[in-house]
Amino acid sequence: MSETSDTIVTYAKDLHWQPVGPLDESGKGIFVSRMYGDLETTGPTTFLMKYSAGVTAPPHIHTHDYYAVVVSGRFQHFLHDQNEYEVLTPGSTWFQKGNAVHGDACVGDDDCILSIFWPHGFDVTFVETASA
């Protein structure tokens, strides 16, 4: 990291990734590296989120809206079916309204990194879905 009175630069090698949820036996999972705000309080929060290659988040909701940008990797964001939208590649964006059940997956051989802005704070609740 490099810091002056006017600028703070954090290099990719210096990012601090913390898991948000369980990791599998090989250490794969979902991680965040906070850029602004925090994960515990309401208020604007921005972080990078990293999904290990092949990881799928179970159905979940967030209380508040958020805005996301794919930075790297091949990512899927969906409400009902994993294939309802095309695979999102770097530069792709989406807006997610709060309290809508959705899922996410990192597809392909590389990890996925997202930049996510939460105007009113981050939270997550995993939900059960009805099975057929």
Side-chain angles (χ1 to χ4, degrees):
M1 180 161 47
S2 178
E3 187 171 345
T4 68
S5 61
D6 297 323
T7 303
I8 299 172
V9 174
T10 303
Y11 300 99
K13 65 182 176 63
D14 296 326
L15 292 172
H16 298 285
W17 294 103
Q18 67 182 74
V20 288
L23 304 179
D24 71 11
E25 61 280 349
S26 64
K28 287 187 170 190
I30 303 169
F31 306 84
V32 297
S33 182
R34 187 183 55 79
M35 295 166 54
Y36 178 82
D38 64 61
L39 301 179
E40 307 300 324
T41 61
T42 58
T45 301
T46 300
F47 53 70
L48 295 176
M49 179 170 268
K50 177 169 58 174
Y51 277 66
S52 299
V55 167
T56 298
H60 59 281
I61 61 170
H62 307 283
T63 304
H64 303 291
D65 303 347
Y66 70 87
Y67 302 83
V69 179
V70 177
V71 176
S72 65
R74 295 172 44 80
F75 197 75
Q76 290 181 301
H77 178 76
F78 51 92
L79 299 177
H80 306 288
D81 175 88
Q82 189 165 342
N83 295 314
E84 70 186 287
Y85 300 112
E86 292 180 34
V87 171
L88 301 168
T89 55
S92 300
T93 68
W94 77 90
F95 165 75
Q96 179 62 59
K97 289 202 64 75
N99 295 310
V101 176
H102 61 277
D104 301 286
C106 181
V107 298
D109 297 329
D110 298 320
D111 292 346
C112 295
I113 296 180
L114 315 170
S115 177
I116 307 179
F117 171 59
W118 306 82
H120 302 288
F122 167 79
D123 68 348
V124 62
T125 303
F126 294 100
V127 298
E128 296 291 324
T129 57
S131 28

